Each structure stands twice: as C-alpha cells, then as structure tokens.
Amino acid sequence: IGQQLFDNQGQLKSDNRYSSERSAVHRIGNVFIKLVKDPQENPLVAHQYALYLLHQRLGFRAIAPGYPLLWTIKMEKIDIKYWSWVSQAIEGQSLSNLIQEDVSRLSRLDLESYSEQFMYAFLTAQEDGQPANFIAQQVEASDTFRLRTIDSGQAFVQSVRSYSVGQSMKELFHSAKEYTVLKSMGFLLGAHLKQLLHPRVIEKLLLLDATHLLQHWSHRIATVNQAY
C-alpha cells in the first residue's frame, strides 16, 4: 500500500480523481485513504475522528466509518510522517452529480437518513457540507435513497459572523453587520420533503442524556489522545 501512496523520496503521490491542494486521496479496494499534505492541517484528522465518535454516540448512520492513521516513511537521514484519515468507501452517486442530473430526485430522499444528516449538521455546526461531500445510496427494494457524509472534519464554527467594509458580503447584505453561516446541504434539502424529522430520529434525541453523552465522548477522546 505504501508504494501506491509514496514515491522513492517519501513524497505523496496524487490521484487526480480524488486529490486536492490540501490532501492526497487514494482509493484502494473498499477503502479511501486521505493523506494531509500540510502539517498545519493535521488537526483536521483529529477533528474528523472526534466527530465520528460523537456520531456513534448519537446512534446515527450518517458518516462513513473511519479511523486516523499515521504513516512513517523511514529515509536515510530523517523519518517523514503523514497523518491520514482511512475510511470505508461508500458506493453510490455524489449528491452534486445527482442534483445536476435531476434535482426532482431529491423528493425521493429517505426521510430518516435526511433527519440524521439535518440533526448532525445542526449539533456539530458543519462548515464544509457541500454536495460533493455527500454520497447518495439507493435503499434496497425501494425507489428512495439515503445520504452518507464522507468529510465532516470542519465543524463547530460560529453560527453568525461579521464582515468588514470592502468585503463582497457587504454588497449582498447592504446595511447588515452580521450574516448567518449556513454551510451544509443538511439544512437545505428538507424543502423537498413533506416532513422534516423522522419519528425514530426524534425518539433517539428524546432518549439522549446529554451530560452522559458528552462525558463519555470526552473520555473517549482523551483515551485516544493518550494512545497516540
């Protein structure tokens, strides 16, 4: 696997289909490996895992399963290290492609799946919920589809932000001094459905003990940090 990810100098190889300026992403079998290019962005891997642990405690199925992995390439003079996020490859169609092909298909979005995405985005204040970060999967023996998120590490952002004079935002909002941050498709797709939240998702939320959930979550994060 390492030979597919790194060259003889210990540098990252890029798969043009998935990679970007910030990361090199490779699909190997049923696994995606996203390697961080800039060490300053290594915390995003930790954020991704922390959010996945929270997602598990909520009992949702909105995120592709994954785990952080540190790669060490032993060179002659120095070891080169890369953090990565290794996740299950979700089969299906990108939500961005689905919308471009036929936006009316959004009315066939599975309500329970959408409810989990909506509440997850709401509870974690997602900042990068663009359509390309969602995969639409056909529900077995049905004409509906469910959504899975493949990248949700940028989270807990401020819900309201200010702008300064000269920014293009002023041209849009004129006299307003602040604007609401709405950066997840999880908030927008409900307009195509007759109901916002599925009863089973409401029941899950009503049964949650927030104090116990947050205590367990923070303890799990602390345990992982100590291990690494």
Side-chain angles (χ1 to χ4, degrees):
I1 294 176
Q3 292 177 350
Q4 298 181 56
L5 304 180
F6 312 104
D7 61 23
N8 294 333
Q9 304 300 316
Q11 300 301 310
L12 294 175
K13 295 180 180 179
S14 290
D15 183 326
N16 292 330
R17 180 180 178 187
Y18 302 111
S19 300
S20 65
E21 295 180 358
R22 302 169 63 182
S23 61
V25 183
H26 293 261
R27 177 169 181 171
I28 301 176
N30 292 324
V31 172
F32 271 113
I33 303 175
K34 180 179 180 179
L35 297 112
V36 179
K37 293 181 179 180
D38 185 351
Q40 293 185 348
E41 297 199 4
N42 284 342
L44 286 177
V45 176
H47 295 168
Q48 182 79 37
Y49 188 50
L51 286 160
Y52 178 64
L53 293 175
L54 176 60
H55 160 269
Q56 284 185 312
R57 294 301 302 169
L58 289 169
F60 290 169
R61 298 167 296 172
I63 300 179
Y67 205 84
L69 187 65
L70 177 63
W71 298 81
T72 302
I73 301 95
K74 294 188 175 296
M75 306 300 291
E76 184 176 347
K77 296 182 179 180
I78 190 173
D79 291 346
I80 302 176
K81 298 180 183 294
Y82 292 100
W83 276 104
S84 68
W85 177 251
V86 180
S87 62
Q88 176 187 350
I90 302 299
E91 301 298 338
Q93 182 181 20
S94 164
L95 180 61
S96 59
N97 290 340
L98 183 148
I99 292 174
Q100 290 174 6
E101 291 177 5
D102 184 4
V103 70
S104 68
R105 291 176 61 191
L106 292 176
S107 63
R108 299 199 295 271
L109 174 59
D110 177 72
L111 178 60
E112 185 172 5
S113 169
Y114 171 72
S115 299
E116 290 187 355
Q117 292 290 352
F118 177 90
M119 290 308 306
Y120 176 71
F122 176 75
L123 293 171
T124 60
Q126 289 289 303
E127 188 181 32
D128 194 23
Q130 58 178 302
N133 284 338
F134 293 91
I135 300 297
Q137 288 184 302
Q138 192 73 28
V139 177
E140 299 79 5
S142 170
D143 64 347
T144 62
F145 65 91
R146 66 173 64 92
L147 291 179
R148 301 289 291 278
T149 305
I150 57 175
D151 188 353
S152 61
Q154 298 182 53
F156 298 114
V157 299
Q158 293 179 327
S159 59
V160 175
R161 291 181 181 174
S162 302
Y163 64 83
S164 58
V165 175
Q167 287 184 307
S168 60
M169 193 62 69
K170 187 173 183 179
E171 298 175 3
L172 299 176
F173 293 93
H174 303 292
S175 60
K177 295 183 179 180
E178 295 181 328
Y179 64 96
T180 302
V181 178
L182 186 65
K183 301 186 71 175
S184 174
M185 288 299 294
F187 296 122
L188 305 177
L189 300 177
H192 297 270
L193 303 173
K194 296 179 181 179
Q195 187 177 354
L196 182 59
L197 293 179
H198 192 281
R200 279 196 290 268
V201 174
I202 295 175
E203 184 179 1
K204 284 181 182 179
L205 295 172
L206 291 176
L207 292 175
L208 282 177
D209 181 330
T211 300
H212 176 73
L213 182 147
L214 293 175
Q215 287 177 341
H216 185 280
W217 183 45
S218 61
H219 175 73
R220 182 77 179 102
I221 291 174
T223 302
V224 172
N225 278 337
Q226 187 175 10
Y228 277 95

